Amino acid sequence: MRVCDDFRMTEEMNLDALRADVLQWITDDPDKTSRDELYRLLDGLPATAAELADRFAGRLKFGTAGLRGPLRAGPNGMNLAVVRAAAAGLVNWLDAKGAAGPVVIGYDARHGSRDFAAETARVVTGSGRRALVMPGPLPTPVTAFAVTKLDAAAAVQVTASHNPPQDNGYKVYLGRELGGDLGAGAQIVPPADTEIEAAIEALGPLSEVPLGDDGETLDESVLDDYLTAIASVVDPDDPKRLASVATPMHGVGGATLVKAMQRAGFPAPSLVADQAEPDADFPTVAFPNPEEPGAIDRLKALAIEEGADVALALDPDADRCSVAVPAGDGTWRQLSGNEVGVLLADHWMRKGHKGTYATTIVSTTQLKAMCAKRGHGYMETLTGFKWLARTNADLAFAFEEALGYCVAPEFLRDKDGISASLVVSEIAAGQAARMATLQDRLDELAEEFGVYETGQLSVRVDDLSEIDACMKRLRAHRPTSLLDEPVTEYLDRLPDADVVTVTTANARVVCRPSGTEPKLKAYLEVREDVGGDLPAARERARASVEALKAEIAAVLGVPH
């Protein structure tokens, strides 16, 4: 009986401590809606203890991706209190760095985005700095463009990109003064993230954060300047006849994409009607990410209906794009991010764009082969455009396999789904003019460089320690061969990054924990010589990727 009493007493003490933490937070929360939400949860104790404990397990941390999390009251969620703290920490950090200039503030159409942008503006003006607020919900690349165009100290974009509807987030970009030539208009990298986090930690009560007015609302000229800039990357003398379809996937990119296509001289794409306007609930997709199975089914159906040459899908904040092409049998095939990246790089090389071509360590190695043969500089970085943006002053093009492409680094050093869509359209129109498709160009590249087949083993876990255990197994039992070929390189990037790369003459595996989800990821690639029979080479490559998946799953100790 004594044990039961002790347990009950401990449980009550934990509830008392939790209740005290919640009440203390409520006293400093500036948003009545959030305060009421927490009061309701307090009234539901002890049944709501787990929910409250999760919300108060820690504060949403500010990292290189800024903030991202579920919309909910409490420190471990996206809400006005957390946003006020983030904005205050940011402006205090800018002050400490001596960075002059305004802060540009953009936002998408997700739940809470406009309010979070307005709160950020009040904090910025309260600090004595100008706040330049976008004229409405606009794509993330417009904000990334504006930070340098308007000579701002930094920019904030309120967005959760392609996260589920219940999430929101907060991205930060640096201006030229702090970012330098390579980081101007790019997302922050260490140590800026930890310094901003420290500035947030050092804040006193939120009620003491000075608030100003709503800032200055920019006019449409900022969007017009962006459209003019990205349209200029398209060759005015190249073919422009093109039948295209597109979807912004309920995000903010639809109207901007249509304007960009027309500005560049292409016919306006037909948009998927029930996905054309922003809708924060994303009602027609299970997950608003073009990479997810089934996400672009409506787009492919429209492409078939209209007999299109190319289909374009933007993610909700329009910084990424996916491409689908006719497969030749009446169906449509979604290209991988690697395939689109190779098409764009090939086009830029043939157009005479000199400089460095960059990609990440998990993307296809075909770009490396292309650069070596054609005499272009080549660089690899860790995953994330914050690293790709900073590769070299002469950056000509950069891409990552996760549908991110930078075709105009002279205007913005970040991924941009809209400018990438323009260049994809330029390639597609050129192919259509010679009665060919994007797939035909991929086939020609395969004949020249071989078939590069990629795949991924992705394992979601409930306990993050399982990922650590898998990486330890890989390091303890280093493969000596893959697909019966001897390993030519084993590269462990610790302590800089928790990434292991295993390479043979014709295969490669890159293993790492996901940076945004509780997943272990293994990126797989196999190269096959065509040998005069491209379909057979592709079939061999696909079979080899599946065999490689089983092989590496066994090493990691995970199902495949």
Side-chain angles (χ1 to χ4, degrees), residues 153-487:
V156 167
Q157 176 75 6
V158 182
T159 180
S161 190
H162 52 275
N163 273 40
Q166 61 269 25
D167 288 0
N168 213 325
Y170 203 81
K171 291 181 180 179
V172 173
Y173 294 82
L174 295 182
R176 190 169 287 106
E177 188 173 353
L178 292 180
D181 291 337
L182 299 185
Q187 292 186 58
I188 57 171
V189 294
D193 57 338
T194 54
E195 292 171 355
I196 295 171
E197 174 64 22
I200 296 171
E201 291 275 5
L203 291 173
L206 292 180
S207 57
E208 295 179 6
V209 172
L211 300 178
D213 59 34
D214 294 337
E216 306 163 41
T217 301
L218 295 167
D219 60 28
E220 293 290 333
S221 65
V222 65
L223 175 59
D224 190 66
D225 289 344
Y226 164 79
L227 291 170
T228 298
I230 65 169
S232 72
V233 306
V234 173
D235 190 332
D237 296 326
D238 276 6
K240 296 294 186 297
R241 290 187 62 182
L242 184 72
S244 63
V245 295
T247 177
M249 206 158 286
H250 299 296
V252 294
T256 304
L257 175 63
V258 169
K259 291 175 183 177
M261 292 281 281
Q262 293 175 320
R263 184 74 60 95
F266 298 106
S270 297
L271 300 183
V272 176
D274 56 358
Q275 296 178 339
E277 296 300 322
D279 189 326
D281 293 321
F282 303 99
T284 70
V285 288
F287 202 98
N289 181 352
E291 289 182 295
E292 291 294 315
I296 68 165
D297 284 354
R298 278 174 163 79
L299 177 67
K300 290 192 286 188
L302 181 62
I304 293 170
E305 179 184 330
E306 300 217 348
D309 298 310
V310 68
L312 306 164
L314 302 175
D315 73 338
D317 71 330
D319 66 349
R320 302 192 308 158
C321 79
S322 183
V323 179
V325 297
D329 59 358
T331 65
W332 278 65
R333 183 176 80 86
Q334 186 173 10
L335 302 183
S336 71
N338 284 318
E339 289 176 309
V340 175
V342 164
L343 281 170
L344 291 168
D346 166 64
H347 184 66
W348 245 214
M349 290 175 184
R350 289 187 294 139
K351 280 289 184 182
H353 287 247
K354 303 296 184 183
T356 298
Y357 286 71
T359 191
T360 67
I361 59 172
V362 301
S363 302
T364 180
T365 59
Q366 185 172 351
L367 180 63
K368 184 177 183 179
M370 292 167 63
C371 289
K373 182 175 180 179
R374 297 177 180 179
H376 292 278
Y378 173 78
M379 288 189 71
E380 285 182 10
T381 72
L382 296 174
T383 55
F385 247 90
K386 58 185 178 288
W387 302 116
L388 283 172
R390 293 169 166 83
T391 49
N392 228 332
D394 70 341
L395 182 66
F397 170 73
F399 87 93
E400 60 181 356
E401 53 79 38
L403 310 184
Y405 319 99
C406 176
V407 299
E410 65 271 31
F411 298 124
L412 72 159
R413 286 192 166 237
D414 195 27
K415 55 185 178 292
D416 179 0
I418 295 174
S419 59
S421 294
L422 294 185
V423 182
V424 168
S425 298
E426 181 174 58
I427 304 169
Q431 289 292 98
R434 63 187 188 101
M435 304 298 289
T437 67
L438 293 178
Q439 183 61 59
D440 292 327
R441 184 58 194 153
L442 285 171
D443 290 346
E444 291 166 358
L445 288 169
E447 295 282 359
E448 183 178 358
F449 294 98
V451 172
Y452 286 77
E453 184 74 20
T454 59
Q456 190 178 125
L457 172 66
S458 182
V459 182
R460 183 178 289 274
V461 300
D462 295 322
D463 183 351
L464 291 178
S465 66
E466 296 176 41
I467 294 178
D468 185 50
C470 289
M471 295 301 292
K472 285 180 177 176
R473 277 193 290 272
L474 176 59
R475 291 183 168 106
H477 305 285
R478 294 169 46 163
T480 57
S481 66
L482 295 175
L483 301 176
D484 297 325
E485 285 188 339
V487 168

